[in-house]
Amino acid sequence: MRLHAEVLAEMEGQEEEGAAMASTVLSPPLVGAAVAAATAPRLVVGYALTKKKVKSFLQPKLLMLARRNGISFVSIDESLPLSEQGPFDVILHKITSKEWQQVLEDYLEEHPEVTVLDPPNAIEHLNNRQSMLEEVADLNLSNFYGEVCTPRQLVITKDPSSIPTAVAMAGLTFPLVAKPLVVDGTSKGHELYLAYDEASLSMLHPPLVLQEFINHGGILFKVYIIGETVQVVRRFSLPDVNTYDLLNNVGIYRLPRVSCAAASADDADLDPLIAELPPRPLLEKLGRELRSRLGLRLFNVDMIRELGNKDRYYIIDINYFPGFGKMPGYEHMFTDFLLSLAQSKYKRYLSGT
């Protein structure tokens, strides 16, 4: 597994031809026979994405780099039968409705040769924060350049008045981070709250997950996985909580969204013990294990390092098809990934499998 730590400099500047060319790459849905072989791209990627995702991911620099490598992105019209569109080599999607999931499953039965990124049943595993971290908890990487853990957590499905008792019985330590149990693809699914005391817990609204807050020097590592390639970037995160904070704060506090592109910490002047990236072998092993266990090829992991313990890491979230567009050099990584899919399909064709 390759790990990209830097942008590929030799191709920078080639993608600035302007957004005007983007419309020629974002073709309308193809219907009927394929185009002539002389003009056909090596790989046709049908995409079913929200307008917001199209804008953030299908940036001109990706579209033009892909086009120069024989890759065409084609919009899927959800109002038309999928079987009447294409033909596609790859379907790229992030639609969460049950109707769309059924459409994809039916299509794959008729077209098993098409690669779907990613299978709906695999994505569904990440839509629930209880099941999301189960695969991580089962990993055994303790002797592989560091220990990877998950925070102790408690799932609350109903009755807010029962939360204080449940937390006490579970022996969780304050403060606690409260997250929605279900990740539904909306901003609401990423709302975070910090609870400082037991009495205020009944103010929360289940279903939710309570995780112990772990001091981590205010730095989050976002580990992006695209196929077999891994890239990690630093982001500013929540500040540490000390004894004074615990003694002088009560109630529930809504937390701001962290780890966005504007909060990049890659160029900040930080304590080396806090800023040091996780070891490359650990990230590569983690990426391979999770890719295999989750059955996904497009996801990212939010990882923190426990303050004062340079070899202990915690995974606090896993996201399917995250904001790759915020990642430096994502267009190169994704184009390489698609080309690897095309190469694999060509090899299967030659072997007759």
Side-chain angles (χ1 to χ4, degrees):
M1 179 176 290
R2 297 173 296 132
L3 187 142
H4 286 206
E6 303 289 342
V7 182
L8 298 180
E10 68 271 13
M11 297 192 73
E12 286 186 352
Q14 296 182 10
E15 301 95 41
E16 304 302 328
E17 300 174 24
M21 290 182 62
S23 60
T24 66
V25 184
L26 288 173
S27 311
L30 297 177
V31 180
V35 294
T39 59
R42 278 185 274 170
L43 201 73
V44 178
V45 181
Y47 65 89
L49 306 170
T50 64
K51 290 182 179 180
K52 181 180 179 181
K53 195 67 175 179
V54 169
K55 183 178 180 180
S56 66
F57 178 71
L58 292 177
Q59 298 178 29
K61 59 184 179 181
L62 170 63
L63 297 174
M64 288 184 282
L65 181 60
R67 185 184 184 187
R68 288 199 294 269
N69 284 276
I71 300 168
S72 175
F73 287 90
V74 179
S75 175
I76 292 174
D77 188 339
E78 294 177 63
S79 67
L80 297 175
L82 189 55
S83 58
E84 296 180 8
Q85 304 179 63
F88 304 117
D89 299 295
V90 176
I91 291 180
L92 180 67
H93 72 105
K94 196 175 183 180
I95 304 295
T96 57
S97 69
K98 293 292 184 182
E99 293 79 8
W100 169 252
Q101 181 174 334
Q102 190 60 55
V103 166
L104 264 187
E105 290 175 354
D106 293 344
Y107 182 81
L108 279 176
E109 287 187 10
E110 296 294 327
H111 301 276
E113 75 283 359
V114 175
T115 300
V116 172
L117 301 172
D118 272 309
N121 60 336
I123 298 171
E124 195 170 7
H125 197 72
L126 298 187
N127 291 339
N128 182 296
R129 284 195 166 92
Q130 182 175 17
S131 60
M132 175 190 293
L133 299 183
E134 287 177 351
E135 297 294 346
V136 179
D138 291 338
L139 288 176
N140 182 16
L141 304 179
S142 57
N143 296 319
F144 207 87
Y145 298 90
E147 181 182 7
V148 178
C149 315
T150 58
R152 290 206 302 161
Q153 67 177 32
L154 178 66
V155 175
I156 306 293
T157 57
K158 57 183 179 180
D159 190 10
S161 64
S162 69
I163 300 178
T165 301
V167 167
M169 292 181 63
L172 297 186
T173 303
F174 287 93
L176 299 174
V177 179
K179 305 177 180 181
L181 177 61
V182 176
V183 182
D184 58 4
T186 68
S187 59
K188 187 175 179 62
H190 295 279
E191 289 181 353
L192 301 178
Y193 294 86
L194 193 64
Y196 278 97
D197 64 291
E198 184 177 296
S200 60
L201 291 174
S202 57
M203 299 167 57
L204 295 169
H205 301 288
L208 55 84
V209 171
L210 294 172
Q211 288 182 351
E212 287 186 333
F213 181 84
I214 296 166
N215 283 335
H216 52 283
I219 293 296
L220 172 78
F221 302 108
K222 293 196 80 72
V223 183
Y224 293 96
I225 290 92
I226 299 179
E228 296 185 356
T229 303
V230 176
Q231 178 167 330
V232 58
V233 296
R234 299 180 195 87
R235 294 285 184 261
F236 285 115
S237 180
L238 303 173
D240 293 334
V241 176
N242 55 36
T243 303
Y244 178 86
D245 295 326
L246 283 173
L247 294 175
N248 290 275
N249 287 286
V250 294
I252 304 290
Y253 294 83
R254 182 170 179 176
L255 301 173
R257 286 290 299 274
V258 296
S259 75
C260 63
S264 174
D266 280 338
D267 299 322
D269 185 15
L270 300 170
D271 182 338
L273 294 178
I274 294 175
E276 182 183 2
L277 294 174
R280 176 180 298 189
L282 177 68
L283 295 177
E284 292 177 340
K285 177 70 171 177
L286 178 66
R288 284 195 300 269
E289 289 289 335
L290 287 180
R291 191 166 66 93
S292 174
R293 288 169 176 258
L294 297 173
L296 298 172
R297 286 184 273 189
L298 300 177
F299 62 100
N300 90 304
V301 171
D302 288 345
M303 174 186 284
I304 58 176
R305 178 194 288 116
E306 183 178 6
L307 187 67
N309 192 332
K310 68 183 296 290
D311 295 324
R312 181 176 295 161
Y313 301 89
Y314 287 84
I315 292 179
I316 57 176
D317 237 341
I318 305 176
N319 305 288
Y320 168 66
F321 199 167
F324 289 127
K326 302 174 185 176
M327 181 178 61
Y330 87 100
E331 67 276 13
H332 300 288
M333 287 179 62
F334 206 82
T335 300
D336 288 346
F337 170 57
L338 292 176
L339 289 174
S340 72
L341 294 180
Q343 186 177 36
S344 297
K345 184 174 182 179
Y346 181 65
K347 288 180 178 178
R348 290 195 302 270
Y349 171 78
L350 291 180
S351 65
T353 60

